[in-house]
Amino acid sequence: MAIKITDECINCGACEPECPNNAIYEGGVEWALADGTTVKGSYTLMDGSQMDADQRNAPISVDTYYIVPNKCTECQGFHEEPQCAAVCPVDCCVPDEMYQETVDELMAKKDRLHL
């Protein structure tokens, strides 16, 4: 499953540079699938809808750092554990129960994000 950042986030920013998929953004910052990935053109999201990889999207959070679930692979294929959770000083990077994914699904997402 994807990782989420809880309201306990202190906005230290330690997590953002650790993400190999650039799935973590500062609160209030727009995001795009193409940021930090090799995705180009149309991309199929987890819900089956299509989005242009360069499309700028509204922030998921304006107050704290946030993780884009469609870009989060729990660091599968890069590291042994989610790096955001490993470096978070307040343990606010936790599994997001809304996004149940197997290791195989996470690896397939990684392969789609990094062609």
Side-chain angles (χ1 to χ4, degrees), residues 6-115:
T6 66
D7 292 340
E8 287 79 35
C9 177
I10 60 171
N11 287 313
C12 71
C15 57
E16 185 181 21
E18 299 301 320
C19 182
N21 299 315
N22 197 38
I24 302 174
Y25 292 82
E26 185 175 357
V29 174
E30 292 182 339
W31 65 274
L33 288 164
D35 295 341
T37 69
T38 59
V39 176
K40 298 201 182 328
S42 184
Y43 183 86
T44 302
L45 302 174
M46 290 186 300
D47 66 4
S49 63
Q50 298 278 318
M51 175 185 291
D52 184 81
D54 291 318
Q55 176 183 322
R56 302 308 299 172
N57 299 282
I60 294 172
S61 172
V62 294
D63 297 324
T64 59
Y65 279 80
Y66 65 91
I67 298 174
V68 176
N70 279 284
K71 294 178 74 175
C72 179
T73 63
E74 292 185 40
C75 294
Q76 288 292 324
F78 295 103
H79 304 286
E80 294 295 316
E81 64 182 338
Q83 295 301 287
C84 57
V87 301
C88 182
V90 292
D91 297 326
C92 68
C93 296
V94 298
D96 189 340
E97 60 282 345
M98 289 184 57
Y99 300 96
Q100 301 287 329
E101 297 171 279
T102 67
V103 171
D104 288 342
E105 290 170 326
L106 292 167
M107 289 298 292
K109 186 193 302 183
K110 175 214 172 255
D111 292 341
R112 288 193 316 274
L113 290 170
H114 301 279
L115 304 173

